[in-house]
Amino acid sequence: MDETLARKKVVRHPKKPKKQPITWSIIKSQNQLIWMSVPLLFYIILFAYVPVWGWTMAFQNYRPGRPFSEQKWVGFDQFKFLLTDDNFLRVLRNTLAMGLINMILGFVTAIVLALLLNEIRKVFWKRTVQTISYLPHFLSWIIVTGIVATSLSINDGIINIVLMKLHLIREPILWLSEGKYFWGIVGASHVWKEVGWNTIIYLAAIASIDPALYEAAEIDGANRYKKMAFVTLPGIKATIVILLIMSVGHVLEAGFEVQYLLGNGLVVDWSETIDIFVLKYGIAQGNYSLATAGGIFKTVVSITLLLLANWTAKRLGEERLL
Amino acid sequence: MGGKSKARFKLSLIALLALSFTLSGCGGNNKTNSESKGNTATATAAANSDSSKVEPFDISVFIGQAGQQPTPDNKIYKKIKDELGATFNYEYLAGDLNQKLGVMIAGQDYPDVMTGNTKLTAAGAYIPLEDLIEQHAPNLKAHYADYWNMMKDPNDGHIYILPNYGVYNGKVNSTYYSGPAFWIQKAILKEFGYPKVKTLDEYFDLIAKYKEKYPTIDGSPTIGFEILNNDWRNWGLFNAPQHLIGHPNDGGVVVKDGVAEIFADKDYAKQYYQKLNEANELGLIDKETFVQNYDQYMAKLSSGTVLGMFDQHWNFGAAEDSLKTQKKDERTYVGLPLVFDTNTKDYYRDLPVLNLNNGFGISVNAKDPVKIIKLLDALMAEDWQKTLAWGIQGEDYEVNEKGRFIRTQEQRDNAVDSTWILANKAKTIVDFAPKLEGSYSDGNSTGADSQIEEYQAGLKPYDKEILDAYGFNSYVDFFSEPPANPVYYPAWSIDLVEGSEAKVVNTKLNDLSTKFLPKAILAEPAEFDSAWSEYVAQIGKVNVKAYEDKINEQIKWRIDKWSK
């Protein structure tokens, strides 16, 4: 452990190691490292680059079981169908909205919970709270949606019972029948399921902050809130930014199971996401080309968003991914 | 020194163990080999029908439905293995069918046998069976003789799937109606003196009266009417209007004089949904009905608090079983063939049709299709059919002095016990393989359910009381005797062809109905008309003609090809 840390420091010292020209002698001296990376490289090529070949499907009228040469090429027809469909804008809006809600709620709650956990002095309580909060992460969505649907039911659903007992509502609300509640329900379910899990990385980041900083702040007369605001938060800022950039790329991954399982005819205008749309009009129709086109669309948007976020971070002088 | 010798000792122990495993493995093999050889001899001697040797072989089967694996020592499968050599390895559907099929098709990863699916057909996953049947399967050939043309795939004229239901032999007795109807709790009929309910209005009146009289059932609030519309189970919401005007189930269309048109936006559909709207205003419709999933729906039916719903009987059979186990027989349901007005003759019950695109097909990956078709052919022999449907004589059923098959009460109880079934019945074969339906050559029905003696002996006193009050033999008698099926019937089994515009339109129409019908039903009565016209306007935007044309084309095709 100590050894590796020490080594890291040594590596950091030369200012710009990348500029070193690649020579045969370097390659030779590092040949073990190069060989070690070959399987990984192979893995990435095989599973991340070779499948991109499948994108050709999006420009065909693909029929399974036929050789490639017999597929019919249709140019951008699939994209045209996708982008001109009446529902597509609505579906895109839902995906973006739920993706953003999930992202923002996820970040805020995870950071707040991490900060609060960090302030707990008794290790037993800290551990207990942490364990309980991250356990739902291990449930699959099908179970979580079952729990959500049952809690929101008007027959003995716990949410309605609590709200009635608190006299906040007069009669039970049929939560899943109102489009305006749907995004919130999805966001809240995500928070419930993932908040504990998401705090882990922040707690790790907090643990790596130099305790000397806290001592110095204390000597300067900082109270707990001030230490939180001026030591802890800046200390994990780099982690937050990196994670934020990474999750911006996933905004279109607003989810499929939750919306598919909780959605119904009454809330379909708010619940349908790109994934559901692609499933209905692509895969369920045997139209794999349309499904691929949907996938390409998502990938392109995601990469654009990722680069944009990265660029913004660079302009703001923050840590960045690329 | 001690450590070294210990290690050596361990090593030799491991070697010994490994050796013993290998040896015992060999021994086991020898044993099974000789055993199966012995069985081969007896089987060929006993059956004396098939000259080829019976070698043990495995068949991998994909079932496109959720199911449970039979126990390893299942009585019937053991008999099949002993006498015909076949061991079935089932893979039942877990999760979403389309997703699973997509993966299978993308990887060309097919087991030997798969249940019928149009997606798989379109992907060329099945092999044509005509020649195989002609050459190797005399029983199957005789069985399907009258239906041969119907079984051919409309796109290329080959037979890929062996329909599992709908081929009838001998007299067809029916005591169970599995199709669509408006269902009503038996308790309601009894409460109001066994009225003859013919129209939708009478039906909702009864439900309203009963709900008023009994606002709670067993402590839970009474639910008047349920409409299930969850994923592919959409008929609860979509299908009723066609029946109310006296048409049989044609799916999304009504066929008049050989011409199909959608009915979703027609006036009689409006009349039905308006009625639901009024019922909702009276508080008869479950508030959660459009939000619930299938499990929640079944839970409600199983609690006995739901007075009625529109559904197909097979879809909620499990809930009725549960009610029977709870001894709540009065909460089980009677199917009523309702119509708008008494001048219309009901046409819910239809003559059974060939269950196209369902049943077994042999995949392109099957190594030895001949073996499989011979096995299915062997199972079509009447003796095997009796074994599959009734079980083993003396164990699962008895034969009385008149030669009729009957069961003791214990055998009857066994037959509905799911744990018993897993160990003593080849349920998956009974469900999906080709089978005799109707009666055997000795006059017995091909299933205990349709054996009249069995049915009447198994009737609970409560049911007897109701049937006596109406003067019926079984609940099927609530329905009119069905006329002969039109040649093209039913339109719902028409394959719209993967990736065609008709199929996209069908999905769109379903999406629209799922979205707008609940809105219209839950709207204030004054706003129903505007909600309805919005729905109709949306349908107007969809290329309905492409959908109707495709169906009409297929109807014409069926009339051309299927007419004898």
Side-chain angles (χ1 to χ4, degrees), chain A residues 153 174 265 269 280-281 285, chain B residues 288 498-499 503 507 511 515:
Chain A
S153 167
L174 201 49
D269 283 348
K280 258 193 200 162
Y281 288 97
Q285 306 286 333
Chain B
E288 277 188 315
E498 297 300 317
K503 192 145 187 171
T507 307
D511 272 3
K515 182 172 156 185

Side-chain angles (χ1 to χ4, degrees), chain B residues 391-403:
Chain B
I392 304 208
Q393 187 182 337
E395 289 177 31
D396 305 323
Y397 68 97
E398 314 290 339
V399 182
N400 69 10
E401 62 282 0
K402 287 183 209 147

Side-chain angles (χ1 to χ4, degrees), chain A residues 63-65 81 85 90 149 153-155 174 176-177 260 264-266 268-269 280-281 283-286 288, chain B residues 96 98 102 105 108 119 123 231 287-288 290-291 296 300 498-499 503-504 507-508 511 514-515 518-519 522:
Chain A
R63 288 283 162 270
F81 177 90
D85 192 277
R90 207 191 66 212
S153 167
I154 51 168
N155 306 321
L174 201 49
L176 286 171
S177 71
Y260 190 74
N264 58 64
L266 293 167
V268 73
D269 283 348
K280 258 193 200 162
Y281 288 97
I283 295 165
Q285 306 286 333
Y288 300 101
Chain B
D96 182 60
N98 286 323
I105 291 170
Q108 302 273 302
K119 264 199 191 79
D231 209 358
K287 279 186 189 153
E288 277 188 315
F290 296 119
V291 175
Q296 288 169 312
K300 282 177 195 166
E498 297 300 317
K503 192 145 187 171
V504 174
T507 307
K508 285 201 170 162
D511 272 3
T514 302
K515 182 172 156 185
K519 270 188 197 160
L522 299 180

Side-chain angles (χ1 to χ4, degrees), chain A residues 65-85:
Chain A
R66 259 186 232 171
F68 186 74
S69 56
E70 284 174 29
Q71 300 289 354
K72 200 174 132 212
W73 293 86
V74 294
F76 283 89
D77 277 10
Q78 307 291 358
F79 290 92
K80 218 191 261 170
F81 177 90
L82 195 70
L83 300 176
T84 56
D85 192 277

Side-chain angles (χ1 to χ4, degrees), chain B residues 144-201:
Chain B
Y144 288 122
D146 286 349
Y147 301 84
W148 199 251
N149 285 333
M150 290 192 177
M151 288 157 61
K152 289 181 178 166
D153 188 85
N155 299 309
D156 60 11
H158 284 302
I159 294 175
Y160 293 113
I161 311 292
L162 301 172
N164 54 343
Y165 288 105
V167 179
Y168 284 81
N169 325 62
K171 187 176 182 309
V172 181
N173 305 311
S174 167
T175 59
Y176 178 83
Y177 175 71
S178 67
F182 281 87
W183 300 88
I184 195 166
Q185 275 190 357
K186 289 168 185 167
I188 303 180
L189 295 180
K190 189 177 177 184
E191 176 77 30
F192 297 114
Y194 307 110
K196 288 211 163 29
V197 191
K198 286 281 172 209
T199 67
L200 192 64
D201 294 333

Side-chain angles (χ1 to χ4, degrees), chain B residues 85-334:
Chain B
T87 308
F88 290 87
N89 297 319
Y90 292 114
E91 185 193 350
Y92 294 96
L93 177 69
D96 182 60
L97 177 64
N98 286 323
Q99 220 171 333
K100 170 76 188 164
L101 291 176
V103 173
M104 281 167 75
I105 291 170
Q108 302 273 302
D109 177 19
Y110 308 124
D112 299 336
V113 172
M114 299 180 288
T115 49
N117 187 285
T118 52
K119 264 199 191 79
L120 291 170
T121 316
Y126 300 106
I127 56 168
L129 300 175
E130 309 92 270
D131 294 346
L132 277 175
I133 296 176
E134 295 271 0
Q135 288 162 18
H136 304 288
N139 290 336
L140 285 175
K141 187 155 184 269
H143 179 65
Y144 288 122
D146 286 349
Y147 301 84
W148 199 251
N149 285 333
M150 290 192 177
M151 288 157 61
K152 289 181 178 166
D153 188 85
N155 299 309
D156 60 11
H158 284 302
I159 294 175
Y160 293 113
I161 311 292
L162 301 172
N164 54 343
Y165 288 105
V167 179
Y168 284 81
N169 325 62
K171 187 176 182 309
V172 181
N173 305 311
S174 167
T175 59
Y176 178 83
Y177 175 71
S178 67
F182 281 87
W183 300 88
I184 195 166
Q185 275 190 357
K186 289 168 185 167
I188 303 180
L189 295 180
K190 189 177 177 184
E191 176 77 30
F192 297 114
Y194 307 110
K196 288 211 163 29
V197 191
K198 286 281 172 209
T199 67
L200 192 64
D201 294 333
E202 291 167 2
Y203 175 78
F204 275 110
D205 285 348
L206 279 184
I207 285 181
K209 269 200 294 184
Y210 193 85
K211 187 168 189 279
E212 202 175 357
K213 200 164 173 188
Y214 301 97
T216 59
I217 291 175
D218 301 330
S220 302
T222 307
I223 296 170
F225 191 72
E226 281 288 355
I227 305 162
L228 177 71
N229 177 25
N230 183 238
D231 209 358
W232 58 278
R233 300 173 203 269
N234 53 24
W235 52 83
L237 179 63
F238 296 179
N239 280 13
Q242 62 187 335
H243 296 300
L244 289 165
I245 59 165
H247 273 272
N249 184 8
D250 265 325
V253 293
V254 157
V255 186
K256 271 185 195 144
D257 308 322
V259 181
E261 60 169 17
I262 63 160
F263 60 82
D265 56 348
K266 300 292 179 287
D267 280 345
Y268 51 89
K270 183 181 175 184
Q271 193 183 342
Y272 173 61
Y273 296 114
Q274 190 144 27
K275 183 77 199 172
L276 291 183
N277 178 277
E278 286 162 20
N280 181 55
E281 188 60 18
L282 295 172
L284 295 182
I285 291 177
D286 179 18
K287 279 186 189 153
E288 277 188 315
T289 199
F290 296 119
V291 175
Q292 69 195 344
N293 58 32
Y294 179 63
D295 295 333
Q296 288 169 312
Y297 171 75
M298 290 297 274
K300 282 177 195 166
L301 294 197
S302 307
S303 74
T305 54
V306 177
L307 300 183
M309 64 276 168
F310 177 85
D311 201 349
Q312 308 206 9
H313 202 179
W314 57 268
N315 190 44
F316 64 94
E320 284 201 315
D321 292 345
S322 161
L323 286 167
K324 281 176 202 160
T325 334
Q326 300 169 57
K327 305 258 180 278
K328 291 183 182 173
D329 285 76
E330 75 280 9
R331 301 290 167 207
T332 55
Y333 296 89
V334 177

